[in-house]
Amino acid sequence: MRIGRFKTDGVAHIGVFEDESVRDVTSEFDGFTDAISRPQDAADVAGTSYDITDITHLPPTTASNTVFCAALNYEAHAEKSDIEVPEWPLVFLKLPQTLVGHGEAISYHTRVTEEIDFEAELGAVIGEPARHVSPDEALDYVAGYTILNDTSARDLQLGLQVGDGQMLDWFSGKAMERTTPVGPYVTADEIDDPQDLSIVSRVDGETMQDDNTGMMIRSVADLVSFVSSRVELQPGDVIATGTPEGVGTFQDIQLYPGETVEIEIEGLGTLSNVVEEA
């Protein structure tokens, strides 16, 4: 089951995505959070079908949801960052204004940044409220998985001077509008083991990252458990699980307007977006 959000003729819908089409199942649900809490109920809804080329993809979450992002969760990436792995997960948030869907532009805000970067990430989408859940039970609260490209303004994130040293500025590096693609949809009830998926990023067809989610320092279950110990997770919330090594900043590579960034994760499809100057 691949369930997500799309827009046609200016109206947002909930859809079941198939190979070349999407079936409108909006009538079955009170909203997307309801749909993601019971995606199986969309299977037999006889809604209008649209050709995939005639719709606009929307992020498979809502403005009332939270996107939690784990930093430094692949050891090789942490080593390249020259930062020790923290005692417990380092998590930051993505604002709803930062999100865009599959096929939408990644905004390059050249008025404030001169260096943006790609980050391929597996996203776990919560399907029911979760509070203080253990790692052993955490995956029971996950409705499915999606792809996230945690595009970052590296010069802002890494360049904040504090006295004689520097500090990481998570807000400036991560919070700009329409910079973070998510999608194309949520794949529900198809991924048996989220810790054994290939994860690849490409820029204009050239492979940049090529790894496996089994290389995470803390598993999806560990991250869900940790976040639920701080706040109650709600259906539609997304936990982005960190990026492998190979991001641009450690290769003296950055993104430019006109380039296409693709993130492919085994079993979840491909998230593709073009960089455009804002």
Side-chain angles (χ1 to χ4, degrees), residues 5 21 70 84 119 157 201 229:
R5 299 172 61 238
S21 65
E84 290 189 17
E119 295 188 33
Q157 181 190 5
S201 68
S229 75

Side-chain angles (χ1 to χ4, degrees), residues 226-248:
F226 172 79
V227 176
S228 79
S229 75
R230 279 19 183 196
V231 64
E232 183 175 72
L233 291 164
Q234 298 297 326
D237 287 350
V238 179
I239 297 180
T241 55
T243 196
E245 68 172 328
V247 297

Side-chain angles (χ1 to χ4, degrees), residues 243-267:
T243 196
E245 68 172 328
V247 297
T249 192
F250 302 124
Q251 306 181 71
D252 292 324
I253 294 170
Q254 64 185 76
L255 296 175
Y256 294 97
E259 291 183 325
T260 298
V261 185
E262 294 177 314
I263 312 295
E264 182 176 359
I265 298 181
E266 182 180 355

Side-chain angles (χ1 to χ4, degrees), residues 9-32:
D9 295 327
V11 178
H13 304 270
I14 301 165
V16 171
F17 288 78
E18 288 148 2
D19 289 340
E20 301 297 333
S21 65
V22 57
R23 176 166 43 89
D24 186 358
V25 296
T26 310
S27 61
E28 174 66 22
F29 303 105
D30 292 333
F32 188 69

Side-chain angles (χ1 to χ4, degrees), residues 12-257:
H13 304 270
I14 301 165
V16 171
F17 288 78
E18 288 148 2
D19 289 340
E20 301 297 333
S21 65
V22 57
R23 176 166 43 89
D24 186 358
V25 296
T26 310
S27 61
E28 174 66 22
F29 303 105
D30 292 333
F32 188 69
T33 55
D34 181 33
I36 208 64
S37 69
R38 50 187 186 98
Q40 66 282 355
D41 291 347
D44 298 322
V45 178
T48 302
S49 287
Y50 299 88
D51 190 282
I52 206 73
T53 61
D54 294 333
I55 61 104
T56 298
H57 289 262
L58 297 174
T61 183
T62 76
S64 64
N65 287 119
T66 304
V67 177
F68 302 88
C69 298
L72 304 173
N73 198 38
Y74 284 76
E75 190 165 349
H77 177 65
E79 289 175 354
K80 291 287 179 63
S81 303
D82 198 26
I83 301 174
E84 290 189 17
V85 174
E87 181 179 353
W88 56 73
L90 175 60
V91 177
F92 59 92
L93 308 181
K94 281 282 186 175
L95 299 173
Q97 300 97 310
T98 67
L99 307 183
V100 295
H102 168 69
E104 294 293 279
I106 297 170
S107 293
Y108 189 169
H109 297 270
T110 54
R111 291 180 63 178
V112 291
T113 179
E114 297 178 350
E115 182 185 356
I116 63 170
D117 198 359
F118 51 86
E119 295 188 33
E121 304 204 13
L122 171 69
V125 184
I126 301 302
E128 59 180 287
R131 180 67 166 146
H132 294 299
V133 301
S134 70
D136 287 343
E137 62 182 342
L139 294 187
D140 294 338
Y141 294 83
V142 174
Y145 299 91
T146 191
I147 305 170
L148 186 139
N149 181 1
D150 180 22
T151 306
S152 305
R154 292 297 190 200
D155 50 349
L156 303 182
Q157 181 190 5
L158 305 176
L160 179 61
Q161 290 294 134
V162 182
D164 294 331
Q166 290 184 325
M167 180 180 291
L168 292 174
D169 185 350
W170 292 103
F171 172 74
S172 296
K174 303 287 188 175
M176 283 183 285
E177 293 184 8
R178 300 188 63 80
T179 54
T180 305
V182 187
Y185 35 69
V186 178
T187 299
D189 302 322
E190 294 184 23
I191 302 300
D192 294 328
D193 183 5
Q195 303 308 143
D196 188 22
L197 304 175
S198 65
I199 178 169
V200 175
S201 68
R202 293 182 290 267
V203 177
D204 281 352
E206 181 179 354
T207 298
M208 298 295 175
Q209 297 171 278
D210 189 353
D211 212 323
N212 188 282
T213 57
M215 299 304 292
M216 289 181 192
I217 296 169
R218 296 178 173 97
S219 69
V220 174
D222 289 335
L223 293 173
V224 172
S225 176
F226 172 79
V227 176
S228 79
S229 75
R230 279 19 183 196
V231 64
E232 183 175 72
L233 291 164
Q234 298 297 326
D237 287 350
V238 179
I239 297 180
T241 55
T243 196
E245 68 172 328
V247 297
T249 192
F250 302 124
Q251 306 181 71
D252 292 324
I253 294 170
Q254 64 185 76
L255 296 175
Y256 294 97

